[in-house]
Amino acid sequence: MTEHSHDHTEPPSDLVLKVKALESLLVEKGLVDPAALDALIDTYENKVGPRNGAEVVARAWSDPEYRVWLLEDATAAIASMGFVGRQGEHMTAVENTAQVHNLVVCTLCSCYPWTVLGLPPVWYKSAPYRSRAVSDPRGVLAEFGTELADSVEVQVWDSTSEMRYMVVPERPAGTGGWPIDELIPLVSRNAMIGVEKARTPGSSVDP
Amino acid sequence: MNGGHDLGGMHGLGPIAPEAEKDEPVFHGTWEKRVFAMTMATGFLRTWNLDESRHARERQHPADYMRNSYYENWLRGLETLLVEKGLVTAEELERGAADPSAGASAVVPLQAGDVETTLLKGGPTDMEIDQHPRFHPGDKVRVVNINPTGHTRLPRYARGKQGVVRNHCGAHVFPDRRALGSREGEHLYRVCFSATELWGEKLNSDFKVHIDLWEPYLAAE
């Protein structure tokens, strides 16, 4: 066997074959249009993602009136920026402060604010996160490297209804006067779920 | 139902081990993309609703639900609904080909050109109902102890617990009945629970858990 023996020759798994067979069956039965499937995938791979939420947060950091609107009527405040639709029909924004840290979970399935964050990461949908976010949130935060002072109250939001939650992280120190475009890269997806804080200046990672 | 999906408070499930945010793709493999898109596209046929879809995944054997990856559970749920709703037969699913004697489908599939507007439209669940809300912010409530065998959005860890109503969220479609195909509204509340109330006294630190609960899940305290 050469070191290239597995290149391009791995037989597809039973699961891959099964999914292909199901799609061809559904196409044959006239139940799905493959071009529509491509468009659905393209939407969530390329168009709708956490950049939307980062724009909302950066604006809330920069515009006190918008911040108040977002916290009082997140559905309308977010819709005003054009982020509307599936899995964002009813939005609530919860704000982290020096006293309160918010964490979002869905213990029963994988409810997540698609319009502002896109589709959820694997860990958000996983049993370890879903089981412990409501029973040991500080332990969960520690697994993400997030340490909070003892005086901070953790508030967990279990998404059991069609209300969708996003966290407005604390604005990092040292960003006073920064324009919105420079604040956006500091707002990570994980910060808007509440498992991390916003990135600090100088530590920014390309999203 | 008390299924494998109702995970709040379960132990022994291991570390979260998150993939780094900057490295994680939206999908892990083409098959996940196709399962996601097929589930979405067939959902827009309106043959079933979101709670029927959730319930189809929850009804699996708990060992299967927990062993499967996320999109495997979507696949199992989709197969269940396709057969139960008569869109395909179990034999067609098994064979992976349409029964030539079956007539043409009467439904019109989601078209590529309609994807954007369909997604933007979404599916709001708020409703106007005649009844006034029974509870108000600040009210103490106790979650009823029910163990329905059908679909519910009342997690096990909240049952029998006392909390405080933080907000009234208006009336929303009641999932326990929507999973049976009916669209009825009930008042929805955001209820705040202390960690001590949910998990007992032996905790490292206190925290709060907010759970969205419909009026039939709550009793006055």
Side-chain angles (χ1 to χ4, degrees):
Chain A
M1 282 181 50
T2 71
E3 62 182 342
H4 300 296
S5 63
H6 291 285
D7 282 2
H8 316 295
T9 55
E10 285 285 358
S13 72
D14 288 350
L15 182 60
V16 168
L17 291 172
K18 193 174 169 125
V19 171
K20 282 189 175 166
L22 179 61
E23 182 172 339
S24 54
L25 173 64
L26 296 185
V27 171
E28 193 185 353
K29 302 271 294 179
L31 297 169
V32 301
D33 169 10
L37 302 187
D38 294 340
L40 285 161
I41 294 161
D42 179 55
T43 300
Y44 292 101
E45 280 198 312
N46 300 310
K47 294 175 183 164
V48 178
R51 162 87 190 193
N52 292 0
E55 288 182 23
V56 170
V57 170
R59 185 169 164 199
W61 283 349
S62 308
D63 177 347
E65 282 182 24
Y66 183 77
R67 172 185 161 272
V68 170
W69 188 22
L70 179 66
L71 296 176
E72 287 181 354
D73 186 355
T75 307
I78 291 168
S80 77
M81 296 181 67
F83 308 138
V84 296
R86 183 89 177 168
Q87 292 298 315
E89 293 92 343
H90 308 287
M91 289 292 308
T92 296
V94 290
E95 185 183 46
N96 287 351
T97 66
Q99 291 82 37
V100 173
H101 184 94
N102 295 285
L103 180 68
V104 178
V105 64
C106 173
T107 60
L108 295 175
C109 53
S110 54
C111 295
Y112 190 74
W114 291 10
T115 49
V116 283
L117 297 188
L119 298 181
V122 167
W123 62 259
Y124 181 88
K125 305 175 289 195
S126 73
Y129 182 73
R130 286 163 53 191
S131 60
R132 280 193 283 121
V134 291
S135 59
D136 180 21
R138 280 181 184 260
V140 165
L141 291 170
E143 287 188 49
F144 286 84
T146 303
E147 301 288 345
L148 302 174
D150 289 346
S151 60
V152 175
E153 180 174 74
V154 176
Q155 301 212 2
V156 183
W157 305 82
D158 189 356
S159 313
T160 49
S161 77
E162 302 305 333
M163 292 282 160
R164 295 290 166 267
Y165 293 91
M166 73 176 288
V167 175
V168 180
E170 275 189 284
R171 182 171 177 158
T175 60
W178 282 32
I180 283 182
D181 282 355
E182 290 179 29
L183 292 172
I184 288 170
L186 300 180
V187 188
S188 65
R189 176 200 68 199
N190 285 3
M192 292 183 280
I193 302 171
V195 290
E196 292 174 7
K197 297 183 178 185
R199 299 179 179 119
T200 50
S203 73
S204 179
V205 178
D206 291 335
Chain B
M1 65 182 295
N2 295 342
H5 66 291
D6 187 356
L7 293 171
M10 188 175 283
H11 290 147
L13 294 169
I16 297 164
E19 199 171 343
E21 179 172 339
K22 65 181 172 55
D23 299 330
E24 181 164 356
V26 175
F27 298 101
H28 296 71
T30 301
W31 74 271
E32 288 194 351
K33 301 181 191 187
R34 305 317 282 184
V35 170
F36 167 78
M38 283 191 279
T39 301
M40 294 288 286
T42 52
F44 287 124
L45 298 174
R46 310 287 179 207
T47 307
W48 55 77
N49 62 50
L50 185 53
D51 282 296
E52 289 178 283
S53 193
R54 288 184 179 124
H55 190 45
R57 292 169 207 149
E58 295 162 3
R59 277 186 277 149
Q60 296 177 84
H61 192 290
D64 291 329
Y65 180 94
M66 298 190 73
R67 189 186 304 112
N68 286 341
S69 71
Y70 181 74
Y71 283 112
E72 282 179 276
N73 279 329
W74 276 42
L75 177 63
R76 303 298 171 230
L78 177 57
E79 290 172 340
T80 297
L81 288 171
L82 287 167
V83 173
E84 283 184 359
K85 298 290 184 177
L87 294 182
V88 308
T89 65
E91 293 71 31
E92 287 176 319
L93 201 57
E94 179 69 27
R95 229 182 27 242
D99 179 348
S101 68
S105 165
V107 300
V108 179
L110 177 70
Q111 302 296 301
D114 295 331
V115 164
E116 187 177 358
T117 49
T118 304
L119 290 173
L120 288 174
K121 199 169 131 201
T125 55
D126 52 330
M127 294 179 75
E128 292 293 328
I129 63 173
D130 292 336
Q131 300 90 325
H132 294 293
R134 194 174 155 209
F135 304 112
H136 301 91
D139 285 356
K140 275 190 187 172
V141 289
R142 189 171 293 278
V143 180
V144 296
N145 181 15
I146 53 169
N147 290 271
T149 53
H151 178 65
T152 185
R153 297 293 287 180
L154 170 51
R156 258 181 286 188
Y157 75 89
R159 293 177 194 166
K161 306 297 185 185
Q162 188 195 67
V164 176
V165 173
R166 181 153 165 168
N167 306 101
H168 171 232
C169 308
H172 282 255
V173 179
F174 186 49
D176 302 41
R177 288 198 286 271
R178 183 161 70 147
L180 303 172
S182 78
R183 189 176 173 85
E184 298 167 49
E186 295 280 2
H187 289 290
L188 177 69
Y189 305 90
R190 185 168 298 141
V191 183
C192 182
F193 298 87
S194 74
T196 308
E197 173 70 11
L198 294 175
W199 308 112
E201 300 293 338
K202 285 186 183 174
L203 285 172
N204 296 328
S205 65
D206 201 11
F207 56 90
K208 300 279 198 305
V209 179
H210 298 87
I211 312 176
D212 297 340
L213 298 169
W214 280 262
E215 201 164 276
Y217 300 161
L218 299 172
E221 183 70 351

